Amino acid sequence: MDWLNAVVQGLLLGGLYALFATGLSLMFGVMRVVNLAHGDLAVVASFLAVAIISGTGLPLWFVLCVTTPLFALLGYLTQRVLLQRSLSAGPMSTLVVTFGLSIVIQNVLLEVFSADTRTLDGGSFATGSFEISGQLSIPYLSLATFVLAVVVLVAIQLFLSRTGLGRMLRASSDDPDTATLVGADSRHVYGIATAIAFATVALAGVMMAMRSSFDPATGPSRLLFAFEAVVIGGLGSLWGTLLGGMVLGLTQSIGAQIDPALTILGGHLVFLVVLAFRPQGLLPGRTA
Amino acid sequence: MTISETLTSSARAAVTVRRSARSSRLSGGLLLLAALVLAVLPFVVFASITDSLVNLFILIALASMWNLMAGFGGLVSVGQQAYLGIGAYSVLVFAEQGVQAYVAIPLAALTAAVFAVPTSWLAFRLRGDYFAIGTWVIAEVYRLVTARVDSLGGASGKSLTTLSGIDPVVRGALTYWVALALALMSVLVCYLILRSRLGLSLMAVRDEETAASAVGIDVPRAKRWVYLISAAGCGAAGGVLLVTSLSVNPDAVYSVQWSAYMIFIVVIGGVGYIEGPLLGAVIFFGLQQALADYGSWYLIVLGVIGVATAIWVPRGLWGLLAERTRISLFPIGYHLDRGVDDRAGRRE
C-alpha cells in the first residue's frame, strides 16, 4: 500500500520536525524569544557537515560529536553577547536581532558556498531500509532520526525535572525576577537554554542534510516547519511538539501522495486550521 | 457654573495647547517644496534617475506602512509581502479585464484590504513574536496558492501587456508620478491617522495594552483598523511595483526579503517616528546603490547595521536626532504653553 507507506514515512518525518522544533519551543518557553534564525542555523549545520565530510572523510557519528558541542557553545555565546542585550532593549528588538542574524547567515552562506543545491551523502545508512512487506519499508535514517528525537526529548524532560539547573530554568521561565531573588543567574540560565536549543538544531541540521537537498536560502522554510510543529502541538509542551511534528509530517507526506506540489501547502493549511479551531494547540501545557 | 466648568475654564486660561511648534511650520514648508521639486524631476533629469527613485518611493511606502503597524499599533509582522503580492496580481487581473493599469492601483489597495479581513481573523489569534511568524506562514500560503493558479501564470508568473501601447518616456514619467503619489500618500495617511482619535488609541495600546482597554479603548478594533490600512498601503505598493517592472512572479513578489527591507529600514530610521521610514529608506537606498557591484553584500551590511541599531540605538537614527534637537517634521503630539499673562511676565 502506497498510502500505508506514506503514513509511516510521515509519522517518522515528524520525529525530525520535533527534534528540530524543540529548540524553538525551549527558547520561547524560557526567554519569550522566537529565534527567526532557527532554520538558518540548521542550514549552517548542514553545510558544516558537508564541508567536514567531503574535506576530511571523517565518519558521520564523529561529525555529530563535533558539531553538536560546537553549536552549544555558539548558542551560549550568542545569548550572552547578542540576545541578552536585545532582551533589555525592548520587546521588538529580539525579533529584529534574530531576523537580522537570519539575513546575515543566509547571505554569508551564499557568498561562501554559492547558491548550488547540495545533499550530504550518508552512504548505505541513508539509503538502506527494513523491508517489512512487499509494499512497506522503513528507511534506517528515518527510524534512527525518530529514535534520536525521542531520546533527546526524554533527556531534556529529565534535565528540566530532575536537575538543579533544570529547576532554575523552569523557575526563570515562570518568573525571572523571583528566580533571580532565590539565586538564579538569569543570564547564565538563558545561556544554557540557548545552548541546548542550538545543540538540537545542529543534530536536526545534520539529519536534514542527509534526508533532503538544501541551499543557503532553505532556512526560512525549515523555520516555518518548526514553528508549525510547535503551534500545532501546543505552546510550551515538549511532547506536544512531538505530536505537532508528527501531525505536520503526516500531512506533508499524505499531501505529497496526492500531488507533490501539495507537500508544503498541506502542512501550512493544517497549521491554519489548528489556528482557527484550536489555537491553544493539540496538547497545551507548560513544561519548559 | 459647576466646579468642573470653573476648573476647565481656568485651566484654559492658564495654558494654550498647540499641535505644531514654529519649527514644524518651517519644516512643513520645506517638505512641500521638496515634494514640488520631486514632482517636476521627470522634466529635468534623465529617466535612469527617476526610474531608480521609483524603487525608493516604493520602499518609503512599504516602510511607512510597516512603521504604522509596528511603531504605533505594536503589531510586528513578517508577512506584509502577502499584500504586496495581492496588490501586484490585482492590478494584473484588473488590467486584463480592461481597467487602465494606473487606475487599477487604488483598486489593488482595496483588494488587499478585503483579503486582510479574513487574514487578520487568523493572525490575531497569535500574539507578539508568534504573530510575526504566523503572518509569514500566511504570506507563504498566498504564494503557494498563487503559484497554483494557471490563469495567473502559475509559478513562472505573468507580464503586464496593456501598458505597451504607451510611449516608454511617457510611461516612465507616469509611473514615477504614481510612485511619488504613493509615497506622499502613505506618509500623509500615517500623519492624519496618528493625529486622529484612532492614532491616540493606537499609541495607548502600544504603550500599555491592559490600561488602554481599561479606559475604554476597543483594542482589537484599533489593531484591526491599522492592519487593514497597512494592508491597503502595501497592496498599492504592489500595484506600483507591477507597473514599474511590468511582470510579476510569485517567488519574487511574495519574498520575505520585502519584510527584511521594511523592518531594517524602519529600525535603522527610527520605529515610532513618521520621519523614521523616510530617513531609513534613504539610507537603505544609498547603501544599495553604493554596494550594487558586490552581490549580496549590501544585505549582509544591512543586517549587521540593523542588529546593531536594534541593540544599541533602539529608537533609531531619527530617535537619536529628535532627542538631541527636539525637531519634528510631523507634529503628532501636543505642545503646552503657559498662558499669555505669564509669558508676558517672563519677558520683562
Side-chain angles (χ1 to χ4, degrees), chain A residues 1 6-8 33 46 82 97 103 117 132 154 156 160 225 229 246 256 264:
Chain A
M1 279 288 290
V7 168
V8 173
V33 168
S46 299
L82 281 180
V97 168
I103 299 290
T117 306
I132 305 282
V154 169
I156 293 177
L160 288 176
F225 293 160
M246 287 167 80
I264 296 166

PDB file of all heavy atoms in Angstrom, chain A residues 1 6-8 33 46 82 97 103 117 132 154 156 160 225 229 246 256 264:
ATOM      1  N   MET A   1       0.839  -1.217   0.000  1.00  0.00           N
ATOM      2  CA  MET A   1       0.000   0.000   0.000  1.00  0.00           C
ATOM      3  C   MET A   1       0.863   1.253   0.000  1.00  0.00           C
ATOM      4  O   MET A   1       1.653   1.470   0.902  1.00  0.00           O
ATOM      5  CB  MET A   1      -0.871   0.014   1.267  1.00  0.00           C
ATOM      6  CG  MET A   1      -2.119  -0.824   1.197  1.00  0.00           C
ATOM      7  SD  MET A   1      -3.365  -0.132   0.137  1.00  0.00           S
ATOM      8  CE  MET A   1      -3.899   1.301   1.054  1.00  0.00           C
ATOM      9  N   ALA A   6       3.065   5.993   3.049  1.00  0.00           N
ATOM     10  CA  ALA A   6       3.079   7.441   3.229  1.00  0.00           C
ATOM     11  C   ALA A   6       2.815   7.807   4.686  1.00  0.00           C
ATOM     12  O   ALA A   6       3.453   8.714   5.240  1.00  0.00           O
ATOM     13  CB  ALA A   6       2.039   8.096   2.323  1.00  0.00           C
ATOM     14  N   VAL A   7       1.877   7.075   5.316  1.00  0.00           N
ATOM     15  CA  VAL A   7       1.544   7.365   6.713  1.00  0.00           C
ATOM     16  C   VAL A   7       2.753   7.094   7.613  1.00  0.00           C
ATOM     17  O   VAL A   7       3.133   7.925   8.442  1.00  0.00           O
ATOM     18  CB  VAL A   7       0.324   6.529   7.166  1.00  0.00           C
ATOM     19  CG1 VAL A   7       0.155   6.599   8.672  1.00  0.00           C
ATOM     20  CG2 VAL A   7      -0.936   7.011   6.467  1.00  0.00           C
ATOM     21  N   VAL A   8       3.392   5.925   7.406  1.00  0.00           N
ATOM     22  CA  VAL A   8       4.536   5.571   8.247  1.00  0.00           C
ATOM     23  C   VAL A   8       5.684   6.566   8.038  1.00  0.00           C
ATOM     24  O   VAL A   8       6.276   7.064   8.996  1.00  0.00           O
ATOM     25  CB  VAL A   8       4.988   4.123   7.952  1.00  0.00           C
ATOM     26  CG1 VAL A   8       6.267   3.800   8.689  1.00  0.00           C
ATOM     27  CG2 VAL A   8       3.891   3.149   8.341  1.00  0.00           C
ATOM     28  N   VAL A  33      11.627  34.369  23.460  1.00  0.00           N
ATOM     29  CA  VAL A  33      12.309  34.784  22.242  1.00  0.00           C
ATOM     30  C   VAL A  33      11.938  33.824  21.134  1.00  0.00           C
ATOM     31  O   VAL A  33      12.060  32.612  21.300  1.00  0.00           O
ATOM     32  CB  VAL A  33      13.847  34.763  22.433  1.00  0.00           C
ATOM     33  CG1 VAL A  33      14.558  34.909  21.100  1.00  0.00           C
ATOM     34  CG2 VAL A  33      14.277  35.846  23.375  1.00  0.00           C
ATOM     35  N   SER A  46      24.091  21.904   8.386  1.00  0.00           N
ATOM     36  CA  SER A  46      24.113  21.055   7.192  1.00  0.00           C
ATOM     37  C   SER A  46      25.370  21.320   6.369  1.00  0.00           C
ATOM     38  O   SER A  46      26.071  20.391   5.963  1.00  0.00           O
ATOM     39  CB  SER A  46      22.876  21.329   6.331  1.00  0.00           C
ATOM     40  OG  SER A  46      21.703  21.051   7.038  1.00  0.00           O
ATOM     41  N   LEU A  82      24.596  38.720  22.148  1.00  0.00           N
ATOM     42  CA  LEU A  82      23.597  39.438  21.350  1.00  0.00           C
ATOM     43  C   LEU A  82      22.226  39.478  22.006  1.00  0.00           C
ATOM     44  O   LEU A  82      21.646  40.535  22.206  1.00  0.00           O
ATOM     45  CB  LEU A  82      23.452  38.773  19.983  1.00  0.00           C
ATOM     46  CG  LEU A  82      24.506  39.080  18.936  1.00  0.00           C
ATOM     47  CD1 LEU A  82      24.197  38.319  17.652  1.00  0.00           C
ATOM     48  CD2 LEU A  82      24.539  40.569  18.642  1.00  0.00           C
ATOM     49  N   VAL A  97      16.759  41.388  15.977  1.00  0.00           N
ATOM     50  CA  VAL A  97      18.115  40.845  16.059  1.00  0.00           C
ATOM     51  C   VAL A  97      18.173  39.456  15.428  1.00  0.00           C
ATOM     52  O   VAL A  97      19.050  39.169  14.610  1.00  0.00           O
ATOM     53  CB  VAL A  97      18.597  40.799  17.523  1.00  0.00           C
ATOM     54  CG1 VAL A  97      19.858  39.972  17.656  1.00  0.00           C
ATOM     55  CG2 VAL A  97      18.857  42.210  18.031  1.00  0.00           C
ATOM     56  N   ILE A 103      19.188  36.955   8.052  1.00  0.00           N
ATOM     57  CA  ILE A 103      19.564  37.547   6.753  1.00  0.00           C
ATOM     58  C   ILE A 103      21.076  37.477   6.561  1.00  0.00           C
ATOM     59  O   ILE A 103      21.575  37.138   5.487  1.00  0.00           O
ATOM     60  CB  ILE A 103      19.086  39.013   6.686  1.00  0.00           C
ATOM     61  CG1 ILE A 103      17.564  39.097   6.807  1.00  0.00           C
ATOM     62  CG2 ILE A 103      19.558  39.693   5.407  1.00  0.00           C
ATOM     63  CD1 ILE A 103      16.808  38.578   5.633  1.00  0.00           C
ATOM     64  N   THR A 117      22.586  23.748  -4.977  1.00  0.00           N
ATOM     65  CA  THR A 117      21.871  22.837  -4.082  1.00  0.00           C
ATOM     66  C   THR A 117      22.781  21.654  -3.737  1.00  0.00           C
ATOM     67  O   THR A 117      23.485  21.156  -4.596  1.00  0.00           O
ATOM     68  CB  THR A 117      20.608  22.323  -4.784  1.00  0.00           C
ATOM     69  OG1 THR A 117      19.869  23.458  -5.208  1.00  0.00           O
ATOM     70  CG2 THR A 117      19.766  21.499  -3.859  1.00  0.00           C
ATOM     71  N   ILE A 132       9.539  -4.496   5.493  1.00  0.00           N
ATOM     72  CA  ILE A 132       8.544  -5.127   6.365  1.00  0.00           C
ATOM     73  C   ILE A 132       7.690  -6.074   5.546  1.00  0.00           C
ATOM     74  O   ILE A 132       7.482  -7.231   5.881  1.00  0.00           O
ATOM     75  CB  ILE A 132       7.640  -4.067   7.037  1.00  0.00           C
ATOM     76  CG1 ILE A 132       8.476  -3.051   7.775  1.00  0.00           C
ATOM     77  CG2 ILE A 132       6.608  -4.743   7.930  1.00  0.00           C
ATOM     78  CD1 ILE A 132       9.014  -3.483   9.093  1.00  0.00           C
ATOM     79  N   VAL A 154      13.346  13.053  25.795  1.00  0.00           N
ATOM     80  CA  VAL A 154      13.359  12.462  27.142  1.00  0.00           C
ATOM     81  C   VAL A 154      14.492  13.093  27.956  1.00  0.00           C
ATOM     82  O   VAL A 154      14.315  13.452  29.125  1.00  0.00           O
ATOM     83  CB  VAL A 154      13.517  10.930  27.053  1.00  0.00           C
ATOM     84  CG1 VAL A 154      13.813  10.350  28.426  1.00  0.00           C
ATOM     85  CG2 VAL A 154      12.260  10.303  26.472  1.00  0.00           C
ATOM     86  N   ILE A 156      15.872  16.042  27.630  1.00  0.00           N
ATOM     87  CA  ILE A 156      15.543  17.418  28.022  1.00  0.00           C
ATOM     88  C   ILE A 156      14.512  17.414  29.143  1.00  0.00           C
ATOM     89  O   ILE A 156      14.619  18.162  30.122  1.00  0.00           O
ATOM     90  CB  ILE A 156      15.023  18.225  26.803  1.00  0.00           C
ATOM     91  CG1 ILE A 156      16.157  18.424  25.801  1.00  0.00           C
ATOM     92  CG2 ILE A 156      14.470  19.570  27.236  1.00  0.00           C
ATOM     93  CD1 ILE A 156      15.742  19.134  24.542  1.00  0.00           C
ATOM     94  N   LEU A 160      15.067  19.001  32.783  1.00  0.00           N
ATOM     95  CA  LEU A 160      14.221  20.057  33.327  1.00  0.00           C
ATOM     96  C   LEU A 160      13.604  19.655  34.665  1.00  0.00           C
ATOM     97  O   LEU A 160      13.430  20.492  35.554  1.00  0.00           O
ATOM     98  CB  LEU A 160      13.097  20.402  32.344  1.00  0.00           C
ATOM     99  CG  LEU A 160      13.509  21.159  31.095  1.00  0.00           C
ATOM    100  CD1 LEU A 160      12.319  21.347  30.181  1.00  0.00           C
ATOM    101  CD2 LEU A 160      14.098  22.514  31.452  1.00  0.00           C
ATOM    102  N   PHE A 225       8.445  25.198   9.268  1.00  0.00           N
ATOM    103  CA  PHE A 225       8.037  23.847   9.693  1.00  0.00           C
ATOM    104  C   PHE A 225       8.131  23.725  11.215  1.00  0.00           C
ATOM    105  O   PHE A 225       7.217  23.217  11.869  1.00  0.00           O
ATOM    106  CB  PHE A 225       8.926  22.772   9.065  1.00  0.00           C
ATOM    107  CG  PHE A 225       8.784  22.646   7.575  1.00  0.00           C
ATOM    108  CD1 PHE A 225       9.775  22.050   6.814  1.00  0.00           C
ATOM    109  CD2 PHE A 225       7.658  23.127   6.932  1.00  0.00           C
ATOM    110  CE1 PHE A 225       9.636  21.934   5.437  1.00  0.00           C
ATOM    111  CE2 PHE A 225       7.523  23.022   5.559  1.00  0.00           C
ATOM    112  CZ  PHE A 225       8.523  22.422   4.812  1.00  0.00           C
ATOM    113  N   ALA A 229       5.082  23.027  13.814  1.00  0.00           N
ATOM    114  CA  ALA A 229       5.061  21.883  14.738  1.00  0.00           C
ATOM    115  C   ALA A 229       4.794  22.369  16.164  1.00  0.00           C
ATOM    116  O   ALA A 229       3.990  21.777  16.891  1.00  0.00           O
ATOM    117  CB  ALA A 229       6.384  21.129  14.670  1.00  0.00           C
ATOM    118  N   MET A 246       4.632  15.244  14.282  1.00  0.00           N
ATOM    119  CA  MET A 246       4.099  14.062  13.601  1.00  0.00           C
ATOM    120  C   MET A 246       2.876  14.421  12.767  1.00  0.00           C
ATOM    121  O   MET A 246       2.720  13.922  11.645  1.00  0.00           O
ATOM    122  CB  MET A 246       3.782  12.973  14.621  1.00  0.00           C
ATOM    123  CG  MET A 246       5.056  12.331  15.154  1.00  0.00           C
ATOM    124  SD  MET A 246       4.801  11.321  16.614  1.00  0.00           S
ATOM    125  CE  MET A 246       4.185   9.836  15.889  1.00  0.00           C
ATOM    126  N   ALA A 256       1.871  14.977  -0.329  1.00  0.00           N
ATOM    127  CA  ALA A 256       2.777  14.617  -1.424  1.00  0.00           C
ATOM    128  C   ALA A 256       2.244  13.432  -2.204  1.00  0.00           C
ATOM    129  O   ALA A 256       2.461  13.313  -3.404  1.00  0.00           O
ATOM    130  CB  ALA A 256       4.165  14.307  -0.863  1.00  0.00           C
ATOM    131  N   ILE A 264       4.074  21.147   0.847  1.00  0.00           N
ATOM    132  CA  ILE A 264       4.281  22.224   1.820  1.00  0.00           C
ATOM    133  C   ILE A 264       2.970  22.933   2.121  1.00  0.00           C
ATOM    134  O   ILE A 264       2.665  23.249   3.263  1.00  0.00           O
ATOM    135  CB  ILE A 264       5.339  23.198   1.286  1.00  0.00           C
ATOM    136  CG1 ILE A 264       6.681  22.452   1.179  1.00  0.00           C
ATOM    137  CG2 ILE A 264       5.483  24.401   2.174  1.00  0.00           C
ATOM    138  CD1 ILE A 264       7.710  23.152   0.382  1.00  0.00           C
TER     139      ILE A 264
END
